[in-house]
């Protein structure tokens, strides 16, 4: 009898039939989860449609926004009816021609005003000729700096015998927290 009693009687890899069964089960579970997801989405869509229909019903039902027997509240004094003017009855000469529905738009002709004795514009100054670039040079070499725009030369700072310490950089939310002591 061996003293090694482990809960798993198999040493090493599980048998092939267990591996095949777990793969088949995993694929079935995946399919079922997909179906459950579709059913959940359909349920949410139906609940949304039911809520919309109930909202429409409450608007059109008794006491809703679009109630058919709604009347404005009575005011203090009812408005006086407009006085009936006695107008002669219209003369019935036959059918009256209705105005056409199409509106005809006539394009207006605009006349440009002739300016009063403005002097002729001065001819622009001639452009200086551009030097032809040398084809053997690369494109970046064709650029020539303007000597008037050159920055003044700055003398290098004196070298210190001590090693340079990095400058403190402010972080995104302020200076960094000092290390614990």
């Amino acid at each position: 009898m061996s003293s090694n009693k482990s809960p798993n009687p198999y040493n090493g890899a599980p048998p092939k039939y267990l591996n095949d069964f777990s793969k088949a089960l995993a694929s079935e579970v995946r399919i079922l989860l997909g179906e459950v997801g579709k059913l959940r989405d359909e349920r949410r869509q139906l609940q949304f449609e039911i809520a919309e229909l109930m909202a429409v019903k409450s608007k059109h039902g008794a006491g809703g926004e679009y109630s058919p027997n709604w009347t404005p509240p009575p005011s203090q004094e009812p408005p006086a009816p407009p006085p009936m003017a006695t107008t002669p009855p219209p003369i019935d000469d036959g059918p009256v021609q209705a105005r056409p529905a199409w509106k005809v738009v006539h394009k207006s002709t605009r006349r440009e005003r002739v300016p009063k004795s403005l002097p002729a514009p001065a001819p622009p100054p001639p452009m200086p000729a551009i030097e032809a670039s040398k084809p053997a040079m690369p494109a970046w070499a064709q650029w020539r700096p303007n000597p008037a725009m050159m920055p003044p030369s700055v003398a290098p700072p004196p070298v210190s015998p001590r090693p340079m310490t990095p400058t403190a950089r402010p972080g995104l939310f302020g200076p960094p927290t000092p290390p614990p002591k």
Side-chain angles (χ1 to χ4, degrees):
M1 257 173 114
S2 69
S3 63
N4 187 4
K5 296 277 184 172
S6 67
N8 186 3
Y10 304 107
N11 290 333
K16 185 176 180 345
Y17 69 91
L18 283 179
N19 232 359
D20 294 341
F21 176 73
S22 65
K23 285 182 183 177
L25 189 62
S27 66
E28 287 291 323
V29 167
R30 213 174 291 121
I31 290 169
L32 290 174
L33 284 176
E35 289 178 12
V36 167
K38 286 179 187 174
L39 289 173
R40 181 183 59 92
D41 291 342
E42 287 177 18
R43 179 176 154 252
R44 287 183 63 202
Q45 182 66 28
L46 287 172
Q47 285 177 339
F48 179 76
E49 288 178 20
I50 289 170
E52 290 235 350
L53 289 172
M54 290 177 76
V56 169
K57 181 184 174 192
S58 69
K59 283 183 182 179
H60 288 279
E65 277 183 56
Y66 308 115
S67 181
N69 53 3
W70 180 86
T71 56
S75 61
Q76 301 291 354
E77 236 179 78
M84 295 297 286
T86 56
T87 57
I91 301 171
D92 197 18
D93 288 339
V96 178
Q97 186 70 20
R99 290 183 40 192
W102 292 100
K103 180 180 177 183
V104 179
V105 177
H106 299 286
K107 188 174 181 182
S108 63
T109 56
R110 294 183 180 227
R111 298 178 186 168
E112 292 184 21
R113 291 186 174 189
V114 179
K116 297 180 182 178
S117 67
L118 286 178
M127 298 295 286
I130 300 174
E131 297 177 21
S133 62
K134 298 175 185 170
M137 299 175 87
W140 60 267
Q142 296 174 9
W143 178 78
R144 293 178 184 86
N146 186 354
M149 300 298 282
M150 294 295 282
S153 60
V154 178
V159 178
S160 155
R162 291 183 277 145
M164 292 278 294
T165 58
T167 58
R169 297 179 309 197
L172 186 60
F173 301 108
T177 307
K181 294 184 180 181

